[in-house]
Amino acid sequence: MDGQSSYPLVPVITVVPEICDDVPDELQLELARLWRKFCKLAVLFFLALILIRRLRLQIVDLRQQANYWRAQHQRAVQREAALAEQVRQLQGEIREWKRRLFGRKSETSASSQPQREPSPQGPPRARGQQRGSPGHGRRDHDHLPTSHEPRTLPEDQRCCPDCGEPYEEIPGTQDGYIFEVYVRAHRRVYHRHRYRRVCQCPGQPAILTAPPPDKVILKGTIGVSLWVLILQHKYEFFQPLHRVIAELRSSEMQLPSGTIVGGLKKLESLFQPLYQALLEHNREAEQWHCDETRWPVFVSQQDKAGFVWYLWVSVTVDCVAFLLDPTRAHDVPEKHFGDKAEGIMNVDRYSAYKAMAQVKKGKIILSFCWAHVRRDFLGVLTGWPELTDWAWEWIEQIGALYECNDQRLALEDGTSAYAEADQKLRTQIEQMRQRSDRELAEPKLRQPQRKVLTSLQEHWAGLNVFVDHPEIPMDNNEAERWQRGPVVARKNYYGSGSIWSGRLAAMLFSLFQTLQMWGMDTGKWLTAYLSACAQARGKPPPRPERYLPWNMTPQERDNLSITIKKPPDPCVGPTDTSTPTSSTG
């Protein structure tokens, strides 16, 4: 019966039926008594109906309340579970951030692998040569200039202290060596001789003065060697300028910082043609490693809040190009590469690369970094101890993928062994894809697991580029390695104090690291280039692009190389040690 039904109240009227006169009085009394009892029972029946209705209404109300509180309890339980999961998520993120701030920065298996039983040779060393690894042998320094220093016993020690008999000298010596470095600051004082004309030829000056020495800055007092030292210390060794000044002060050279800063501002125009030629060469490649990092520039601008600029890097097989820009938008790499660029770009998963016009048109293919994927699983491993086994299984699978790719690259393309290694690699990556899909389909998957696997699935196409293109690396570590120097510089001297100094930093970071890529000595190259600028009276030399490594001859690169050379054989004669200044200036 529906609890909302109503029952009308029927008035009970006691009606005593008429009894025939011929019925006995006793029977009439009995019938009247029975009728009264019947009427009472009818009243009780209707009262019971009313009570049942009220009770049913109460039951309906209590059921509604029970359903309401049951729903509230379920929502509270779900909210409590969600909050507990959020607490675990935040605790895991806190552990991961603590590891990043205070833990070891290495991503090697020794620093990230769960603790195992120690090997029979003992635990691995934190740094230095590991037990059982082959050594590199003694280094040869015969190419350095040598000064011989005889060491003899004093006169009073050349005889026996007991009997006074003199010692007999043994032919030959017991030799050793010590490395020494002598750095000396000096001042070049030049004297310009003057000449008076004694003839009467018209149109000739009356007095002639010998020209001054070549200078990088015409009215400056800092020579080429000192500029080389300053530029190397600041942009190759990443030392702040005040340390360079302190080092010069220890050599009794008191140079004001304003003189050096003003000179650096004038040197920017000398490196600008080289930098533009390097950028043009960089965008003509077919494969790049790209990344970006912070580089503060402490200049207030109306259209920019704060001082955080960004230093973008583009690494090819033969050059490193840094770009300084106030934004981290996709316009920066898009503008650098231009409309003609086509190839494959190794990047991380930053969205600016995905938004590039060249990527959307299909001219540039993005190859994502497996090292970043590995870092995701390392974050789960360190942040959520209960998921250590799961995360480490994935890390080991990524390591096996690296190993399969290394085995394929070690073989010659077109051979049966190469085909077998290639098939092994494809099988390994297909198993990883199937496992990812299978685990994502599990309804009870934890949030950290789902987040990592979802990112893996979204970037799967870019993570597979190296499979069909073996020449493409699996990660973007190349860009991060070349970017490490500017990051050290940022920690040492906090970026740049002006826009021109930021541009100069990007130029010299690009040039110096490109020279390092070619195995060339930055000091020798700077000496040659600045000497050519001095010969050009403080301007870039004619055809400055000839000083870029790919435009030099092998002999010129060899003269500026850091390769250790043996001293020339005196029987053969001296070798040519000229720099490319004369041939390229």
Side-chain angles (χ1 to χ4, degrees):
M1 182 181 294
D2 189 1
Q4 302 295 330
S5 303
S6 62
Y7 302 93
L9 297 178
V10 180
V12 179
I13 303 175
T14 304
V15 180
V16 179
E18 297 181 357
I19 304 174
C20 300
D21 296 337
D22 55 353
V23 178
D25 295 337
E26 295 80 0
L27 183 59
Q28 291 181 6
L29 292 173
E30 185 65 24
L31 289 174
R33 187 173 63 80
L34 292 173
W35 178 254
R36 286 193 294 272
K37 289 182 178 181
F38 172 78
C39 291
K40 291 179 180 180
L41 290 174
V43 172
L44 293 175
F45 174 74
F46 284 109
L47 291 176
L49 290 178
I50 295 173
L51 181 61
I52 290 172
R53 178 178 177 272
R54 291 181 177 178
L55 292 175
R56 287 185 174 179
L57 291 176
Q58 291 180 3
I59 290 174
V60 170
D61 184 55
L62 292 175
R63 284 179 177 175
Q64 291 177 347
Q65 294 183 17
N67 292 332
Y68 171 77
W69 291 113
R70 186 179 294 110
Q72 290 292 99
H73 177 265
Q74 291 178 356
R75 283 194 288 268
V77 170
Q78 294 175 357
R79 186 167 57 253
E80 181 182 6
L83 291 175
E85 180 63 26
Q86 185 179 4
V87 168
R88 288 193 294 269
Q89 179 81 9
L90 295 176
Q91 288 176 345
E93 292 180 1
I94 290 173
R95 286 191 292 268
E96 172 62 13
W97 281 110
K98 285 184 176 180
R99 183 195 67 82
R100 294 186 184 184
L101 289 175
F102 308 113
R104 296 182 60 182
K105 300 300 189 293
S106 175
E107 295 182 2
T108 59
S109 59
S111 63
S112 57
Q113 185 174 3
Q115 295 295 327
R116 309 288 187 185
E117 293 295 330
S119 61
Q121 297 180 351
R125 296 174 178 172
R127 58 181 60 189
Q129 184 176 354
Q130 298 297 323
R131 297 180 179 88
S133 61
H136 50 71
R138 290 186 176 273
R139 292 178 173 86
D140 186 11
H141 295 92
D142 292 343
H143 62 286
L144 294 177
T146 303
S147 63
H148 297 277
E149 179 181 343
R151 304 292 296 176
T152 59
L153 284 175
E155 291 289 343
D156 57 347
Q157 297 180 13
R158 295 185 184 181
C159 58
C160 178
D162 294 335
C163 63
E165 186 73 16
Y167 294 143
E168 180 183 359
E169 185 175 355
I170 302 173
T173 57
Q174 184 176 353
D175 301 333
Y177 57 85
I178 302 174
F179 295 115
E180 298 284 358
V181 174
Y182 296 100
V183 179
R184 182 176 61 89
H186 64 282
R187 183 179 56 152
R188 291 174 57 192
V189 179
Y190 56 89
H191 306 277
R192 301 172 60 188
H193 288 249
R194 296 176 298 172
Y195 304 88
R196 181 184 293 109
R197 180 169 59 88
V198 296
C199 65
Q200 301 299 323
C201 297
Q204 298 297 327
I207 297 176
L208 293 175
T209 305
D214 297 330
K215 295 182 180 181
V216 180
I217 300 175
L218 293 182
K219 296 184 179 181
T221 58
I222 299 179
V224 171
S225 61
L226 188 52
W227 278 125
V228 170
L229 183 146
I230 294 171
L231 294 177
Q232 275 195 285
H233 279 62
K234 185 171 178 63
Y235 299 108
E236 184 181 13
F237 308 143
F238 315 113
Q239 296 180 1
L241 190 59
H242 69 86
R243 293 185 191 173
V244 181
I245 296 175
E247 180 180 352
L248 295 175
R249 193 181 302 120
S250 65
S251 301
E252 300 182 356
M253 179 177 289
Q254 305 287 340
L255 280 180
S257 60
T259 301
I260 299 178
V261 171
L264 290 175
K265 188 174 183 179
K266 294 180 179 179
L267 291 182
E268 180 194 358
S269 60
L270 301 182
F271 295 103
Q272 184 69 31
L274 285 175
Y275 179 64
Q276 293 299 328
L278 187 146
L279 294 182
E280 184 64 29
H281 183 78
N282 182 271
R283 64 173 60 97
E284 291 176 354
E286 296 180 354
Q287 180 195 347
W288 307 272
H289 291 264
C290 297
D291 202 359
E292 74 289 331
T293 188
R294 292 182 298 107
W295 186 262
V297 179
F298 296 97
V299 176
S300 298
Q301 290 184 324
Q302 295 181 355
D303 56 344
K304 180 175 178 58
F307 305 106
V308 179
W309 288 41
Y310 292 92
L311 194 64
W312 298 72
V313 63
S314 175
V315 183
T316 65
V317 69
D318 59 355
C319 73
V320 182
F322 285 93
L323 305 167
L324 183 65
D325 195 89
T327 68
R328 202 184 176 202
H330 64 91
D331 300 338
V332 182
E334 191 175 285
K335 181 179 178 182
H336 167 65
F337 289 106
D339 297 332
K340 297 181 180 180
E342 293 186 6
I344 300 176
M345 184 186 298
N346 285 84
V347 296
D348 54 17
R349 294 163 295 185
Y350 180 42
S351 58
Y353 300 109
K354 307 173 190 176
M356 291 174 55
Q358 297 90 335
V359 175
K360 294 180 178 179
K361 294 178 181 178
K363 293 184 176 181
I364 294 181
I365 300 173
L366 297 183
S367 177
F368 295 120
C369 177
W370 276 99
H372 284 76
V373 177
R374 185 177 182 271
R375 291 174 197 173
D376 292 342
F377 289 102
L378 283 175
V380 176
L381 184 143
T382 57
W384 290 267
E386 65 274 14
L387 301 177
T388 297
D389 294 337
W390 175 85
W392 189 249
E393 289 177 359
W394 271 101
I395 292 172
E396 288 183 332
Q397 281 195 316
I398 295 175
L401 187 65
Y402 269 93
E403 184 178 357
C404 291
N405 190 49
D406 292 340
Q407 292 176 356
R408 182 181 68 164
L409 295 177
L411 300 172
E412 184 179 356
D413 190 8
T415 61
S416 59
Y418 180 89
E420 182 179 352
D422 182 75
Q423 183 59 39
K424 181 180 178 181
L425 173 68
R426 296 177 185 273
T427 303
Q428 173 69 18
I429 200 169
E430 177 62 22
Q431 291 176 355
M432 295 175 66
R433 186 193 64 80
Q434 293 177 1
R435 179 183 178 182
S436 173
D437 295 341
R438 184 171 61 253
E439 292 182 350
L440 279 174
E442 296 179 3
K444 296 183 179 181
L445 192 66
R446 294 281 302 277
Q447 178 62 24
Q449 298 170 298
R450 186 174 300 279
K451 180 180 179 181
V452 173
L453 294 177
T454 301
S455 176
L456 178 65
Q457 190 178 60
E458 291 176 352
H459 299 91
W460 190 256
L463 291 169
N464 279 269
V465 173
F466 78 99
V467 177
D468 295 327
H469 300 273
E471 72 279 3
I472 302 300
M474 290 180 59
D475 50 47
N476 197 31
N477 292 344
E478 184 74 13
E480 296 191 358
R481 278 192 289 266
W482 290 108
Q483 211 170 32
R484 187 175 302 167
V487 171
V488 173
R490 184 182 66 205
K491 293 182 178 180
N492 286 343
Y493 49 85
Y494 309 112
S496 301
S498 60
I499 296 179
W500 71 262
S501 63
R503 291 196 302 262
L504 180 62
M507 293 179 191
L508 295 184
F509 287 154
S510 303
L511 292 169
F512 289 178
Q513 297 198 29
T514 299
L515 294 173
Q516 294 172 11
M517 181 180 288
W518 283 78
M520 297 174 64
D521 188 288
T522 306
K524 295 179 182 178
W525 182 89
L526 269 176
T527 302
Y529 183 72
L530 292 181
S531 299
C533 293
Q535 293 177 5
R537 299 188 58 79
K539 296 181 180 180
R543 299 181 60 198
E545 66 277 2
R546 286 284 299 145
Y547 283 85
L548 293 174
W550 49 86
N551 292 329
M552 291 182 179
T553 64
Q555 180 62 34
E556 291 171 344
R557 288 196 298 266
D558 187 65
N559 292 337
L560 301 179
S561 174
I562 61 174
T563 304
I564 297 176
K565 300 179 182 180
K566 295 287 185 179
D569 190 349
C571 298
V572 178
T575 57
D576 182 15
T577 58
S578 61
T579 64
T581 303
S582 59
S583 60
T584 59

